[in-house]
Each structure stands twice: as structure tokens, then as C-alpha cells.
Amino acid sequence: MKLLPLPAFQDNYLWLLHDGHRALVVDPGDAQPVLAALRQAGLQLEAILVTHHHPDHIGGLEEVRRATGATVYGPARETIPEPLTRVAQGDVVRALGLSFQVLDVPGHTAGHIAYFHDPHAPSSLPPGGAQPPRGGPAAAGPDVDGTPLLFCGDTLFSGGCGRLFEGTPAQMLASLDALAALPGDTRVCCAHEYTLANLKFARAVEPGNAELVDYTQHCEALRSQGQPTLPTTVAQEKRINPFLRTRESGVRHAAEAFNGTRPGDDVGVFAAIRQWKNEYR
């Protein structure tokens, strides 16, 4: 399997996963990059996975669906154009011979979902245990066979998390906790190239975090070469992302300094850090 981030708009990534013949795409906010990549590589689009209803994630959905006939999967509790197979926590989406667990991750929007592929789950193989077809004309992109994958939309970013447009701090913290509990080598396919701005804020929260300094230098080098900083991994984010580290003493103390008072419980700490990020320049 090959994984490609397709740039769109100013900073979106539309994720394309393919086996050299068949493909799926996540959050096609713009149809043109998707259709161009499919034509160039000679791929047949089998499925479209939608995480939430914002226009930069579904703006190209209908055009891609009409052009390819792909099956569309999306959040059960959000307004997404039909035809749509509506999915929620506990459902499984099967595409490309792989199985994707659906996770409810409200916070950024009320019905936001994510898709997690565990390559070690028996249901991840096609009937009979055969591997999906490989090879073909599409060779670009890193090989992700045997790698856990997470398509998380705007819930988790490298070094950050999504704004709370419809959900509550308690919901977002619970959603991030669920993602942080996934295997450490899970490749986290975020929907935006916000990494450098997020890391600038993260250094303000944890100026003494040496892992954060090293990771920032790594990401700056990638961007200077025109390369994406994504995907990241769950393990990496647990080391550097303040929104996954709100129970660390340094982050709690930073939240207290910003708030001017003790923010209280874990939700209060998260809410203070999120508000700080909203105001940060």
C-alpha cells in the first residue's frame, strides 16, 4: 500500500491510499487534485472516507463520486450530501482489502469521526488471507504495508488539535485521549499542514522540552525542502504535542500561568491551553 498526501487549497492534505490498482481518498475538499492523481497513476477509486462536514473536506465530494462511482462513507450525525453510507463508533469500513474502525471524536465538530486501520487485525486481510493486488503504474508514495493508519481529519494535528467549533473541551479531551491510546507507531494522517505554527505555540507552553526542539528542527528542514511534515505518529505526538500532554506538570503549570488561577481538573487544563492557542500570535 502507498500513502500520498495530495495538497489542496493553502494548507490542506487530501490523503490517497492505493495498492497500485485501487484507491481510497479521505476528505476530498477539492476534486481536481484527486481526479488528477487517479488519472496519472491509472487508479480506480473504490471508497471515499469523510471525517466531518466542513467545506474544505467535502467541497469536491460530489464531483469525485460522480466521476468515479466510489462508495462514500461519512459521519452518521452530520449533514453530508447523499448518497452516503453513514457510520459511527463501532462500525467498520472495508476498502482495498483493509478494515478501518470508525471512532467518534467530537470536539472540532459535533459528529466528527476518524478511521483507524490496525494491520494486525485478522479482518484486515481479504477473504482467504490473500494480499490485495500490488504493483501497477502507481509507485509514488511511501509503503505503509503492516503500518497502523489513522485518518483523523481536524481532530489531531502535529503539535496541535482542532478548534472547538461545535464541541466542548471535555469532548475534545476525551477524543484526543482515545487517539493517544492507539499504538505508538500509528501513522497520523492529519488534514492540514499546520505543524510549524503549532510547534511555535508548543514551545511557548513547554520551552524546556528537548524532544520538541529536535522535532521542530526536523520539521523546519522538511518544509524548507518543500516536503510535508505529515504523517506524524502517535508516539511522536505524545512527546511534543501540548494537547496530548495536559496532564504533564509543565503543561499544567503553563496553563495556570496563562489562566491566572488554577485551571482545576484535566478538562480545565485542556480548556486553558486551547484558549491560549486561540489567542496566540
Side-chain angles (χ1 to χ4, degrees):
M1 288 289 172
K2 302 290 186 180
L3 179 66
L4 297 173
L6 305 179
F9 309 118
Q10 289 188 323
D11 50 36
N12 282 67
Y13 288 131
L14 320 179
W15 291 95
L16 185 74
L17 183 68
H18 71 84
D19 63 12
H21 300 275
R22 301 169 297 162
L24 66 79
V25 70
V26 183
D27 288 345
D30 184 355
Q32 294 314 303
V34 178
L35 297 178
L38 295 173
R39 285 194 301 269
Q40 182 177 4
L43 300 169
Q44 175 62 47
L45 192 68
E46 182 175 295
I48 301 170
L49 310 185
V50 176
T51 64
H52 66 293
H53 66 83
H54 284 163
D56 62 325
H57 292 254
I58 66 168
L61 175 60
E62 180 58 18
E63 184 177 350
V64 173
R65 186 195 64 77
R66 282 191 283 104
T68 65
T71 301
V72 182
Y73 300 89
R77 301 177 183 88
E78 296 200 351
T79 302
I80 308 290
E82 300 286 349
L84 175 72
T85 300
R86 297 188 176 275
V87 292
Q89 181 82 32
D91 290 332
V92 175
V93 171
R94 292 182 172 85
L96 310 185
L98 306 178
S99 295
F100 294 86
Q101 300 173 34
V102 178
L103 307 175
D104 285 346
V105 287
H108 181 66
T109 64
H112 201 302
I113 60 174
Y115 302 86
F116 172 63
H117 166 60
D118 180 356
H120 306 298
S123 59
S124 293
L125 292 177
Q131 293 291 338
R134 298 172 62 181
D143 194 316
V144 292
D145 285 344
T147 304
L149 296 173
L150 174 68
F151 298 111
C152 58
D154 287 356
T155 298
L156 176 63
F157 299 128
S158 188
C161 74
R163 284 179 177 265
L164 277 63
F165 288 118
E166 299 172 9
T168 66
Q171 286 178 317
M172 183 61 105
L173 180 59
S175 296
L176 293 174
D177 283 346
L179 300 185
L182 297 176
D185 61 341
T186 299
R187 295 198 190 189
V188 181
C189 302
C190 319
H192 290 275
E193 183 59 78
Y194 291 164
T195 306
L196 294 184
N198 287 339
L199 295 179
K200 180 181 177 183
F201 172 72
R203 294 196 306 275
V205 177
E206 284 193 287
N209 186 334
E211 293 266 11
L212 182 53
V213 173
D214 291 343
Y215 183 61
T216 299
Q217 293 173 348
H218 168 71
C219 291
E220 288 174 342
L222 288 174
R223 295 307 291 156
S224 70
Q225 299 165 19
Q227 299 298 312
T229 62
L230 303 170
T232 180
T233 66
V234 167
Q236 179 65 71
E237 294 308 304
K238 289 168 74 172
R239 292 192 290 265
I240 59 91
N241 191 323
F243 296 101
L244 298 188
R245 296 173 57 80
T246 53
R247 297 173 180 90
E248 297 290 329
S249 60
V251 177
R252 297 184 72 89
H253 291 153
E256 182 176 342
F258 168 76
N259 221 32
T261 61
R262 289 186 179 276
D265 61 9
D266 293 340
V267 173
V269 174
F270 174 83
I273 296 297
R274 183 61 258 183
Q275 185 59 40
W276 185 1
K277 179 63 166 66
N278 293 348
E279 300 173 9
Y280 187 78
R281 296 293 181 270

